[in-house]
Amino acid sequence: MKNPSLLKFNRILYLLNLFQRGRVNLVSQAAQLGVSVRTLQRDVSEIEKAGFPVCSSVPGVYGFVEGFSLDKMPLSRRESSLLTLMEQLSESLGAPWLASFNRFKSNTVRPADSNTFYIKLSAESSPVTVRLTETLERCLFRRERISILYAGKKQSWCRNLRPLKIMLFDGFWYLLAMADTGTYMKFLLSNILRVCPLGTFFEPVNVDKTLAESVNIWFDGGREICISLRVSAGVARYFKKRQYFPLQHIEREFSDGSLELSCKTANFMEILPAIKSWLPDITVLSPRALAEELLAQLQTSVCRHKSVLDKPETKSTVNNVTHRTDKTVQKPGVRPRKHK
């Protein structure tokens, strides 16, 4: 795989911890990890490319050069910030991943000034199990078909799939897979109850271009729907700096500073959340069906809020104070009086 998988990330952390302790025999470690020696040699090569001084005095046995220690390793602020990002990614996968990262980090980052960077990553409340991700990654690497047991809204169900990628979108981890019909399917990792390798394999499917063009989880195969949008001058600068829509392109800049944008999508759901987040500074010019769908959703939302406002306020909702049913309320810092 071109991009390092989470399994590779975990192996590299594991090898760095072993190198910190001493020499490592790749043959014995390969047997323990269930991978080939060649795989670990590639991992060692990646560690060397990252700037760690690794040497091999005996064929197949590797370690840090004499005198080097992770404890003495100076890190720039940017490198420390990269570790912060890796830590938050590990945290979103659950406690075992975070513990593995923290063991590495404790040997790498010395107590110093606080980090000048802050990276906000939302994490879902249900962490992903290590065993599940390791099984998925093994099947992804081998391009092996799988059967999953998935917890749906009403009941659990099974499906045979071709796994393609593990993805992080908006703080949630997903499995991107392909059904036998050739359509993309996305599954929350935290809702996958079981993964069973089927022992049959499939030809590689390149989804990198599709993922690079995507802005959220609602992407699909082909993007054949052309969209035209008008962006107000007050927020135009943001759209000049960042892609908020798939295949976003500035078609025209008006004298008042506003912009006309074009983009392409496979379905309206892929762009509607972004459009609504920029209201009232964005207007749908075409297609008409998208403008009608946006208007219908806004009217539904307005009706719901209006029904809330039409209800008379009760004592329990005034000033956001919850109504107490008990008559005695103890003041902070005042001890209750004892009755004789």
Side-chain angles (χ1 to χ4, degrees), residues 219-240:
F219 65 87
D220 215 329
R223 292 187 170 92
E224 304 297 334
I225 304 174
C226 298
I227 310 294
S228 180
L229 305 166
R230 181 75 174 261
V231 177
S232 71
V235 298
R237 63 187 183 277
Y238 298 107
F239 289 84
K240 292 179 180 180

Side-chain angles (χ1 to χ4, degrees), residues 23-24 54-66:
R23 299 294 175 180
V24 179
V54 178
C55 67
S56 174
S57 55
V58 179
V61 178
Y62 292 82
F64 289 141
V65 297
E66 186 176 353

Side-chain angles (χ1 to χ4, degrees), residues 17-43:
N17 276 289
L18 291 181
F19 289 165
Q20 174 72 358
R21 301 173 195 166
R23 299 294 175 180
V24 179
N25 188 307
L26 294 192
V27 175
S28 61
Q29 289 301 323
Q32 288 188 30
L33 296 174
V35 298
S36 67
V37 175
R38 181 59 186 150
T39 296
L40 290 188
Q41 288 174 337
R42 286 194 292 266
D43 292 339

Side-chain angles (χ1 to χ4, degrees), residues 138-187:
R138 196 173 298 112
C139 293
L140 282 163
F141 185 80
R142 300 171 60 186
R143 295 193 294 273
E144 183 176 0
R145 294 177 183 269
I146 61 173
S147 174
I148 67 169
L149 177 62
Y150 193 77
K153 292 182 179 179
K154 296 183 179 180
Q155 60 182 4
S156 300
W157 44 265
C158 293
R159 188 180 291 270
N160 294 345
L161 301 164
R162 286 176 280 176
L164 303 179
K165 289 282 185 180
I166 293 176
M167 313 176 297
L168 178 64
F169 274 101
D170 299 322
F172 291 90
W173 289 97
Y174 296 88
L175 168 67
L176 173 63
M178 184 170 282
D180 292 334
T181 57
T183 57
Y184 289 137
M185 301 186 73
K186 305 103 178 180
F187 304 90

Side-chain angles (χ1 to χ4, degrees), residues 33 81 95 108 127 156 164 181 184 230 255 274 277 289 309 318-319 327:
L33 296 174
S81 300
T108 305
S156 300
L164 303 179
T181 57
Y184 289 137
R230 181 75 174 261
S255 58
S277 71
L309 294 175
V318 175
N319 295 328
K327 296 181 179 179

Side-chain angles (χ1 to χ4, degrees), residues 174-220:
Y174 296 88
L175 168 67
L176 173 63
M178 184 170 282
D180 292 334
T181 57
T183 57
Y184 289 137
M185 301 186 73
K186 305 103 178 180
F187 304 90
L188 270 172
L189 286 194
S190 55
N191 281 7
I192 299 178
L193 305 177
R194 187 175 65 240
V195 178
C196 296
L198 297 179
T200 58
F201 304 88
F202 59 92
E203 293 298 317
V205 179
N206 192 344
V207 295
D208 291 344
K209 183 174 182 294
T210 300
L211 291 175
E213 296 171 350
S214 302
V215 294
N216 55 37
I217 197 64
W218 299 102
F219 65 87
D220 215 329

Side-chain angles (χ1 to χ4, degrees), residues 23-168:
R23 299 294 175 180
V24 179
N25 188 307
L26 294 192
V27 175
S28 61
Q29 289 301 323
Q32 288 188 30
L33 296 174
V35 298
S36 67
V37 175
R38 181 59 186 150
T39 296
L40 290 188
Q41 288 174 337
R42 286 194 292 266
D43 292 339
V44 172
S45 178
E46 292 292 335
I47 292 173
E48 289 181 294
K49 289 178 183 177
F52 293 91
V54 178
C55 67
S56 174
S57 55
V58 179
V61 178
Y62 292 82
F64 289 141
V65 297
E66 186 176 353
F68 177 83
S69 171
L70 291 175
D71 296 329
K72 303 175 184 177
M73 180 182 173
L75 292 180
S76 69
R77 289 180 175 177
R78 181 160 296 185
E79 289 166 336
S80 296
S81 300
L82 180 59
L83 285 177
T84 301
L85 174 60
M86 294 166 66
E87 179 178 20
Q88 293 180 359
L89 286 172
S90 300
E91 184 177 9
S92 69
L93 285 170
W97 290 88
L98 182 60
S100 177
F101 176 82
N102 283 337
R103 285 194 296 271
F104 166 70
K105 184 180 177 182
S106 65
N107 291 325
T108 305
V109 182
R110 297 174 296 184
D113 295 336
S114 60
N115 196 351
T116 56
F117 293 86
Y118 176 74
I119 303 168
K120 176 65 176 178
L121 280 178
S122 301
E124 58 183 306
S125 57
S126 302
V128 183
T129 63
V130 175
R131 179 176 297 181
L132 184 142
T133 53
E134 288 181 344
T135 302
L136 279 176
E137 289 176 289
R138 196 173 298 112
C139 293
L140 282 163
F141 185 80
R142 300 171 60 186
R143 295 193 294 273
E144 183 176 0
R145 294 177 183 269
I146 61 173
S147 174
I148 67 169
L149 177 62
Y150 193 77
K153 292 182 179 179
K154 296 183 179 180
Q155 60 182 4
S156 300
W157 44 265
C158 293
R159 188 180 291 270
N160 294 345
L161 301 164
R162 286 176 280 176
L164 303 179
K165 289 282 185 180
I166 293 176
M167 313 176 297
L168 178 64

